[in-house]
């Protein structure tokens, strides 16, 4: 049923070079039915279609954490009208900092954490990898509380993209 699998954390990629002492890192892969799909289009295919319950949870989260100095987005998913991502584009609450045919890296930062996301593609799969560098005790507490939600949401959103043949 689930087409999303946890992957070993890459040790020699860009995100690994940005990792600090207090951090969270994961990597999830899913099969591609569109082998020529670029990483930018894969990112849009995954994150432009959030389930309503995810949008609701993110809205509640944003209302709470903004009082603690966390960066919050004005939208919970990527703009549906975008067809590609370019350097400097907004990608949800993040900014695209690197675009290559087979990898897109997005970044966001606030006083508690730095958040990186890499989306890669090859002929058979796409991999979404996140790195969160935790800069403060509040950031570490937040990550401890949010990790179970991240685990479920990331898998559901990627799985839905596979199931709906957007990847």
């Amino acid at each position: 049923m689930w087409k999303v699998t946890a992957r070993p954390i890459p040790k020699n990629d860009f995100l690994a070079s940005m990792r600090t002492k207090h951090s969270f890192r994961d990597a999830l892969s899913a099969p591609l039915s569109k082998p020529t799909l670029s990483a930018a289009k894969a990112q849009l295919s995954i994150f432009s279609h959030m389930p309503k319950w995810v949008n609701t949870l993110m809205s509640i989260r944003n209302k709470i954490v903004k009082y603690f100095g966390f960066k919050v987005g004005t939208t919970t998913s990527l703009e549906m009208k975008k067809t590609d991502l370019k350097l400097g584009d907004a990608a949800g609450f993040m900014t695209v900092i690197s675009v290559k045919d087979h990898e897109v890296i997005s970044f966001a930062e606030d006083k508690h954490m730095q958040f990186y996301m890499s989306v890669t593609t090859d002929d058979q799969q796409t991999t979404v990898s996140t790195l969160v560098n935790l800069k403060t005790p509040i950031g570490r507490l937040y990550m401890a509380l949010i990790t179970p939600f991240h685990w479920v949401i990331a898998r559901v959103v990627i799985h839905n993209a596979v199931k709906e043949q957007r990847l």
Side-chain angles (χ1 to χ4, degrees):
M1 176 181 147
W2 285 95
K3 303 270 185 186
V4 180
T5 57
R7 305 294 297 171
I9 304 301
K11 301 211 183 297
N12 297 317
D13 65 351
F14 175 79
L15 270 58
S17 73
M18 302 308 292
R19 194 170 193 170
T20 63
K21 179 180 178 182
H22 296 287
S23 63
F24 166 85
R25 179 101 194 256
D26 70 352
L28 301 170
S29 290
L32 282 178
S33 62
K34 300 176 181 181
T36 60
L37 192 68
S38 71
K41 291 185 190 270
Q43 182 169 336
L44 287 167
S45 294
I46 295 167
F47 296 104
S48 289
H49 301 79
M50 294 292 197
K52 187 175 181 175
W53 64 268
V54 171
N55 287 333
T56 300
L57 284 176
M58 292 303 292
S59 178
I60 293 167
R61 173 241 179 235
N62 289 345
K63 287 175 184 170
I64 295 169
V65 302
K66 71 180 179 182
Y67 295 108
F68 296 97
F70 287 88
K71 185 172 186 173
V72 297
T74 55
T75 61
T76 55
S77 61
L78 298 180
E79 294 178 34
M80 297 281 286
K81 58 188 167 198
K82 283 187 181 179
T83 58
D84 211 348
L85 291 173
K86 295 175 181 45
L87 191 65
D89 278 355
F93 70 96
M94 301 170 61
T95 301
V96 176
I97 62 168
S98 176
V99 179
K100 298 176 183 161
D101 193 39
H102 296 289
E103 182 175 37
V104 172
I105 299 172
S106 302
F107 173 77
E109 182 172 26
D110 60 37
K111 68 182 184 179
H112 300 294
M113 59 182 57
Q114 293 178 320
F115 186 85
Y116 293 89
M117 181 174 67
S118 166
V119 177
T120 60
T121 56
D122 61 30
D123 293 342
Q124 298 178 2
Q125 68 182 11
T126 187
T127 301
V128 178
S129 182
T130 57
L131 166 65
V132 183
N133 288 324
L134 307 164
K135 302 187 317 187
T136 66
I138 290 174
R140 291 190 287 279
L141 174 63
Y142 170 80
M143 199 65 220
L145 294 171
I146 206 72
T147 296
F149 295 96
H150 168 79
W151 191 91
V152 171
I153 291 170
R155 282 162 177 78
V156 166
V157 171
I158 297 167
H159 172 77
N160 286 350
V162 172
K163 184 173 85 174
E164 295 166 10
Q165 297 184 335
R166 290 183 266 123
L167 290 177

